[in-house]
Amino acid sequence: MKPAPHPPEPARPLGRVWLVANRASRSTDDGRIAALEAALQAADATIAGNSDFPRENAPDAAALGDIDTLVVMGGDGTLGSASAAAKGWDGQFLAIPGGTMNLLPKALHGDATPQAIVAAAASGNLVHVPVARGGGETSFCRIIIGPMTRWARTRENARHGRIWRVWQSLRLALARGFLGGVKVAGHPGRHPGVLLLPTDQGLEAALFSGNGLVDSMAVAVNWLVGDWRDAAAVTAFTAPELVVGRHRTVRCLFDGELKQLEPPVRFEAGWSDLRYIRTLD
């Protein structure tokens, strides 16, 4: 894998910021947004723009022309959408946890609170982060491919305590979540589930290739309570790229957002276009 476009360098002062917050997220409400705004002001930042995402679009590079820092509070899907919108901009991106998984903020800041992240931002580092690309889409956290994408709705409903919806989505996932599968170049058979994680070593891949209800349920239980890579019927490896699909549309979740891509899809490891503030040592 090629090195990042720029080596890490000290972060700059927050300066003029544009704040994007996803009020539709269960984890981002008016109180949390107000607390973040207070933390930014305490750090001598000037809030020069706001976007109520997704009701309002995230700013593009032109809108960010005189902005020093793009601050985004939301889930991984919101962070990815804001990153895509700002492509070509040369400022710094501060990712604030505000969703369910918060995988990108955790990679950059650990389990720090939004207020602690803002306070530490000026002394952090500015870095490119590893990404996975495929079919014109970009993932900063993970891509789930194949029929097992149907289990994502069950997991999200379980996380939010929607018991009746868990049952409804569980029935659908059991009926369709293990049927068929996708072809992966260089690996025989069909795979009901493929997981790709971007790392600085390449794509960390996990292929589910089990047979029968027992293997399928083992993966389902591992996914609902933890990580389905722990199941015995999963093969894990790291590669610079992976080609998936042959004839049928490839169903994918990019950081929780459903995409349907035309086959074959070449997934490749790379680096983000933007640079992100990292407060972890």
Side-chain angles (χ1 to χ4, degrees):
M1 183 170 170
K2 295 181 179 179
H6 301 92
E9 64 180 56
R12 302 185 288 268
L14 294 176
R16 290 171 55 83
V17 310
W18 190 301
L19 175 59
V20 176
N22 186 351
R23 297 177 188 273
S25 171
R26 186 183 178 92
S27 304
T28 305
D29 56 23
D30 290 341
R32 290 182 174 90
I33 295 172
L36 176 58
E37 290 174 339
L40 290 168
Q41 292 167 358
D44 295 326
T46 300
I47 300 177
N50 274 282
S51 294
D52 180 8
F53 186 87
R55 188 177 65 85
E56 299 173 338
N57 292 332
D60 59 15
L64 294 169
D66 63 346
I67 298 297
D68 300 298
T69 309
L70 176 60
V71 181
V72 182
M73 172 183 263
D76 294 318
T78 300
L79 293 165
S81 295
S83 298
K87 183 177 180 180
W89 175 60
D90 194 35
Q92 54 188 11
F93 191 116
L94 183 60
I96 303 293
T100 302
M101 297 296 289
N102 300 312
L103 296 179
L104 180 57
K106 284 182 180 179
L108 294 166
H109 314 297
D111 293 320
T113 65
Q115 291 83 353
I117 293 169
V118 171
S123 57
N125 288 315
L126 206 53
V127 300
H128 292 275
V129 297
V131 300
R133 293 190 172 94
E137 305 289 342
T138 300
S139 167
F140 294 81
C141 304
R142 65 180 181 180
I143 304 172
I144 301 170
I145 308 166
M148 282 188 65
T149 54
R150 300 184 186 280
W151 283 91
R153 180 169 296 178
T154 303
R155 180 170 183 168
E156 288 304 300
N157 285 329
R159 285 181 175 275
H160 292 300
R162 303 165 182 154
I163 304 303
W164 176 244
R165 291 186 181 181
V166 168
W167 173 241
Q168 289 179 314
S169 57
L170 181 61
R171 290 174 61 190
L172 180 61
L174 285 171
R176 302 181 183 178
F178 299 110
L179 295 177
V182 294
K183 287 282 192 179
V184 178
H187 299 270
R190 290 186 176 275
H191 305 275
V194 177
L195 175 67
L196 298 180
L197 303 176
T199 74
D200 56 8
Q201 302 299 313
L203 297 178
E204 184 179 325
L207 311 182
F208 169 53
S209 52
N211 294 308
L213 183 61
V214 173
D215 285 345
S216 300
M217 288 305 298
V219 170
V221 169
N222 273 276
W223 192 3
L224 288 173
V225 301
D227 190 336
W228 62 269
R229 288 176 296 174
D230 296 332
V234 170
T235 301
F237 57 93
T238 300
E241 64 179 30
L242 203 69
V243 179
V244 178
R246 183 174 296 176
H247 302 299
R248 297 179 180 177
T249 300
V250 181
R251 183 183 174 96
C252 310
L253 287 173
F254 280 74
D255 299 337
E257 302 296 320
L258 180 62
K259 308 292 181 182
Q260 307 227 32
L261 307 179
E262 291 302 312
V265 184
R266 183 178 300 275
F267 295 94
E268 298 178 306
W271 297 95
S272 62
D273 298 300
L274 304 183
R275 288 186 288 177
Y276 297 76
I277 296 176
R278 182 180 66 198
T279 58
L280 283 178
D281 294 334

